Amino acid sequence: MAKGTDLNYNRNIGIMAHIDAGKTTTSERILYYTGLTHKIGEVHDGGATMDWMEQEQERGITITSAATTTFWEYAGNKYKINLIDTPGHVDFTVEVERSLRILDGAVSTFCAVGGVEPQSETVWRQADKYNVPRIGYVNKMDRSGANFFEVCRQINEVLKANACPIQIPVGSEETFSGIVDLVKMKAIFWHNETLGAEYDEEEIPASMLQEANEWRDKMLEKIAECDDVVMQKYFDDPTTITEEEIRAAIRKGTIAMQIVPMTCGSSFKNKGVQPLLDAVCAYLPSPLDNGHIIGTSPDDASIEIERHPTSDEPLCALAFKIATDPYVGRLCYFRVYSGELTAGSYVYNTRSGKKERISRLFQMHSNKQNPKEFISAGDIGAGVGFKDIRTGDTLCSEDAQIVLESMDFPKPVIGVAIEPKTQKDLDKLGNGLAKLAEEDPTFHVKTNEETGQTVIEGMGELHLEIIIDRLKREFKVECNQGAPQVSYKEAISKEVQIREVYKKQSGGRGKFADIIVKVGPADEGVEGLQFVDEVKGGNVPKEFIPAVQKGFTTAMKNGVLAGYQLDSLKVTLIDGSFHPVDSDQLSFEICANIAFKSACAKAGPVLLEPIMKLEVVTPEESMGDVIGDLNKRRGHLEGMDSNRSGARVVKAKVPLSEMFGYVTSLRTITSGRATSTMEFSHYAEVSKSIAKEILTEAKGRVDLL
């Protein structure tokens, strides 16, 4: 390892969870107990180090993922922990997505009362997508209704994971006082007067010994499946299994994603965080455990290239987040997978095909930059100096080029028309929107060609509210805004075959293109244009076929009903003809565009609307009113769970267009006692009567329905 680093003692981890499960509160304790901060910042006071944005401090929620680096002593070794605290609100799910893409491990935090909540499922799926090993941390054990074992059961049933408790709580709710470590078979109790910085390791209370032995046996049974040595000893004589063997087996099972070690505590009451840090060091992978990363050649995507986590190999890094800093300008966060990045050096961007000089490098502590001379393999850092950089770009050496798999981001589901309050702010608005769109891949800016309005699109009402607030505070632009608009989409429901001839003669050389195409719905699971070339005998020359494909791709941005985008389409080019003088690529592109409109009008065009997955936690007596209200909103009830601390949980799928202002309405019908969470589920066809209303409002083609 260059410069004396040992990656065995590096941990790149994120804290992920549903909103309000205690991610930032846990992060603040980690910073305090590792000595990085000397005062515990509380979320409810707006004093959390990791929630540095004014909007975060005012609302008490995390909006942007914040990174920091700290150190922790474990088993006689000093571990370096790169920690990313992610948001829990579904509107900012992109922050979780891009963080998990570059992390080696994650701490999945659950509320001991709420258990597995909707956003818990979303972030769990995101972690599965990137094969990120996890440790479970059941927080808020001091709250009324806390139940550690119920949360473990939900993780097994709802998330289809293999929860393996390696700790059990001593008491719960107001009697929660500590934990039993099932690996050491010791009880740990914290000192309240030192804010939990000091704790005692004691013998397990006699009243809990039997329960502890039962859960230890269950733990051994689960980890035996991950390790042959432990399995042999478990069947022969479980008492001969050593502490080191247990830890090795848990680590092996965690990295292979066969088990999820479960810990517990109450971060707000300063209990359980130090053993969680020990578990991070003991069980989550280092950059070396994940081995090499595989990329592809920029010239040929079928050629795979390996890079190993060592500073001796050529540079390979992934840009996972762009932020605008008022002092240093555009700040790019990246993970270095191999090689070393030095301040003042040049890097090659495989997307843009250009070399860029990184003027300065930083290690981040929330929004503060600590200057660094270099960032080595296996580390996370940030740099400035980039002229053209986007989320998901691969940075490498020019003489050893590689492309890493980028990231897919969800498409916006809601839009709002905005305009500056004064005409002189028009340029400032454009500049601000461009910078915010560069930072956030789920935030799009469009100009409505018919009205000339600027429409901003995002993942939800809160997302756009924060964007407009940032325009006001950071870019000093006051905006007027319209009512929220739903991002509808269009699709076609049947297949049609048409012939389209484009002919234009205006003296001299004319334009000519002739195509026969079959247009229909795309095959299951296919996004975008599925183009099939079945032309035989060169009736349409090879050089014109890409122009036909381009014409259909461009046309898909504006459907025939009301100009909404089509997400998928299958086009089969069957035949056609050309003119040796008048035919060119532009002619075939225009012909394809016209063919798209003609074919879609005959192919049963339908309107699609975003459907949201809603979960409402309500008192029993208000449940009838809540369900009645959802029925009025075209909601489809999916189930009711009973009793999370005496409440009922209503699950439903509801169209987004019916959900504006729902939180206020819910407060009214339940006297403020119910809470709701909502996330995007899928797009579904709108019924004809409602589609006609929407199209009449949008001045669309009602006659085509």
Side-chain angles (χ1 to χ4, degrees), residues 165-177:
I166 58 170
Q167 300 171 359
I168 59 170
V170 178
S172 66
E173 303 180 346
E174 68 276 4
T175 64
F176 176 66
S177 57

Side-chain angles (χ1 to χ4, degrees), residues 319-615:
F320 69 94
K321 179 179 162 92
I322 315 296
T324 305
D325 187 278
Y327 304 108
V328 298
R330 185 191 283 142
L331 191 63
C332 169
Y333 290 71
F334 49 77
R335 158 81 187 260
V336 181
Y337 286 100
S338 67
E340 198 165 78
L341 208 48
T342 312
S345 65
Y346 283 87
V347 295
Y348 184 79
N349 185 330
T350 48
R351 176 191 56 80
S352 65
K354 290 178 183 163
K355 271 201 323 184
E356 298 230 35
R357 183 174 179 270
I358 301 181
S359 54
R360 284 183 289 166
L361 290 174
F362 305 107
Q363 198 152 59
M364 298 302 294
H365 174 48
S366 188
N367 64 328
K368 297 178 180 66
Q369 300 105 15
N370 301 319
K372 299 282 285 183
E373 285 299 309
F374 62 89
I375 306 284
S376 295
D379 229 337
I380 293 170
V384 292
F386 294 97
K387 289 184 175 63
D388 177 16
I389 188 83
R390 290 185 200 162
T391 303
D393 282 358
T394 304
L395 309 173
C396 59
S397 309
E398 192 177 10
D399 53 359
Q401 293 178 23
I402 183 172
V403 179
L404 298 178
E405 185 189 352
S406 192
M407 293 168 252
D408 297 321
F409 299 111
K411 293 189 173 79
V413 294
I414 183 174
V416 166
I418 62 165
E419 62 180 20
K421 283 190 176 172
T422 58
Q423 200 61 28
K424 69 177 189 330
D425 280 347
L426 202 57
D427 287 344
K428 279 194 331 195
L429 176 67
N431 180 42
L433 290 175
K435 285 187 175 174
L436 291 170
E438 185 181 58
E439 277 186 31
D440 185 350
T442 60
F443 170 62
H444 294 185
V445 183
K446 288 183 180 173
T447 303
N448 187 311
E449 288 171 11
E450 289 177 20
T451 62
Q453 280 182 320
T454 300
V455 178
I456 58 172
E457 297 181 327
M459 299 304 294
E461 286 180 275
L462 179 63
H463 188 192
L464 296 182
E465 190 185 313
I466 297 293
I467 292 283
I468 290 165
D469 195 33
R470 287 187 66 188
L471 282 170
K472 180 180 169 183
R473 295 191 199 202
E474 292 172 36
F475 300 97
K476 307 292 183 278
V477 182
E478 295 274 356
C479 291
N480 295 321
Q481 64 186 83
Q485 307 156 359
V486 174
S487 289
Y488 293 101
K489 290 194 174 159
E490 293 183 27
I492 56 172
S493 54
K494 57 188 182 188
E495 192 175 73
V496 294
Q497 183 173 318
I498 66 156
R499 177 174 196 159
E500 191 65 53
V501 180
Y502 173 63
K503 199 187 287 183
K504 203 169 186 183
Q505 207 68 44
S506 56
R509 187 177 168 180
K511 297 275 181 195
F512 179 83
D514 169 23
I515 56 172
I516 299 172
V517 289
K518 206 188 286 175
V519 178
D523 295 345
E524 187 113 4
V526 177
E527 289 258 321
L529 177 66
Q530 185 183 357
F531 188 78
V532 183
D533 173 15
E534 286 184 359
V535 176
K536 293 188 174 63
N539 290 348
V540 178
K542 285 250 181 288
E543 64 267 27
F544 296 147
I545 288 171
V548 176
Q549 188 171 352
K550 186 183 174 189
F552 275 102
T553 303
T554 309
M556 283 173 67
K557 290 176 184 169
N558 299 99
V560 293
L561 289 175
Y564 296 119
Q565 185 174 327
L566 276 81
D567 260 1
S568 62
L569 188 72
K570 184 175 184 178
V571 174
T572 307
L573 179 60
I574 299 167
D575 205 354
S577 64
F578 71 104
H579 188 280
V581 177
D582 291 352
S583 290
D584 58 12
Q585 289 182 331
L586 184 61
S587 301
F588 275 91
E589 192 178 323
I590 293 168
C591 186
N593 214 302
I594 299 165
F596 168 85
K597 291 186 173 71
S598 309
C600 286
K602 296 172 185 169
V606 292
L607 199 63
L608 304 177
E609 65 178 345
I611 304 295
M612 308 304 282
K613 184 176 170 185
L614 178 75
E615 189 168 295

Side-chain angles (χ1 to χ4, degrees), residues 152-168:
C152 292
R153 185 193 65 76
Q154 287 180 22
I155 289 168
N156 291 333
E157 288 187 8
V158 180
L159 302 178
K160 303 291 183 276
N162 187 9
C164 174
I166 58 170
Q167 300 171 359
I168 59 170

Side-chain angles (χ1 to χ4, degrees), residues 100 102 179 200 333:
L100 286 170
I102 55 93
I179 63 160
D200 296 323
Y333 290 71

